[in-house]
Amino acid sequence: MNKQVLLDNLRSIPDFPKKGINFRDVTTLFKSAECMKIMLDELEKIYKDKGITKIVGIESRGFVMASALAGRLGCGVVLARKPGKLPATVMKESFSKEYGVDTIEMHIDSIEPDDVVLIHDDLLATGGTAMAAYKLVQHFHPKHVYMNFLIEITDEGLNGREVLKDIDLTTLMTI
């Protein structure tokens, strides 16, 4: 994987969404065909033989790669969304993140017990969002759950990996 191309295309925005946060903007990776190919090729290599049947994309940047990778792996996509965005009956999980409290929801018919699930999001920081998604997925009792992030942020004293220590987890880059 050409990590340097990805790093060269990753935008950082200081003090967003509040002072003291150095926001990593992956939309600059998504707009580059070269970066998309690099990321998808690497994700496909990691997960092609894992029997993935559903990819859970976490709102909203997680939707992009979850959908693209699902096309490559021939599996379904499940959306983990903010409250009030899904039209049918949902389960929800609230969590703390580095700049507040939030909730995510999934439809109650999203995952079956025979599914092998990959949870995907763009960034791993504190691990709060990912753990909430993991707890939601566990309500469905799938065969196995994997988790992936494009970027794991450790340079700001964040330790999301420790929160997720018992989960089968991969990241493409660590910053």
Side-chain angles (χ1 to χ4, degrees), residues 126-146:
T126 64
T129 308
M131 182 53 80
Y134 182 77
K135 287 176 181 178
L136 277 176
V137 168
Q138 289 295 27
H139 286 291
F140 297 100
H141 307 289
K143 282 184 185 176
H144 191 77
V145 179
Y146 298 93

Side-chain angles (χ1 to χ4, degrees), residues 95-115:
F95 59 96
S96 297
K97 46 196 225 178
E98 60 272 32
Y99 44 84
V101 176
D102 213 342
T103 300
I104 57 171
E105 300 178 340
M106 290 172 46
H107 281 134
I108 61 168
D109 59 356
S110 296
I111 297 169
E112 301 296 326
D114 62 340
D115 281 324

Side-chain angles (χ1 to χ4, degrees), residues 45-147:
K45 189 184 325 176
I46 294 168
Y47 293 106
K48 68 180 179 183
D49 297 322
K50 304 286 189 194
I52 305 293
T53 57
K54 301 271 176 61
I55 301 177
V56 174
I58 299 175
E59 180 144 344
S60 68
R61 292 172 303 275
F63 298 166
V64 176
M65 296 306 289
S67 298
L69 182 59
R72 289 228 185 148
L73 298 180
C75 63
V77 175
V78 173
L79 305 180
R81 301 223 49 197
K82 293 180 180 177
K85 302 289 185 180
L86 295 170
T89 306
V90 297
M91 279 193 276
K92 62 177 105 183
E93 190 75 34
S94 293
F95 59 96
S96 297
K97 46 196 225 178
E98 60 272 32
Y99 44 84
V101 176
D102 213 342
T103 300
I104 57 171
E105 300 178 340
M106 290 172 46
H107 281 134
I108 61 168
D109 59 356
S110 296
I111 297 169
E112 301 296 326
D114 62 340
D115 281 324
V116 176
V117 177
L118 170 61
I119 299 169
H120 173 79
D121 205 0
D122 62 334
L123 302 173
L124 171 57
T126 64
T129 308
M131 182 53 80
Y134 182 77
K135 287 176 181 178
L136 277 176
V137 168
Q138 289 295 27
H139 286 291
F140 297 100
H141 307 289
K143 282 184 185 176
H144 191 77
V145 179
Y146 298 93
M147 190 173 285

Side-chain angles (χ1 to χ4, degrees), residues 20-37:
I21 303 290
N22 188 17
F23 187 80
R24 299 315 198 289
D25 180 12
V26 297
T27 64
T28 54
L29 300 177
F30 297 156
K31 73 177 184 176
S32 163
E34 180 182 17
C35 290
M36 285 293 290
K37 181 172 179 6

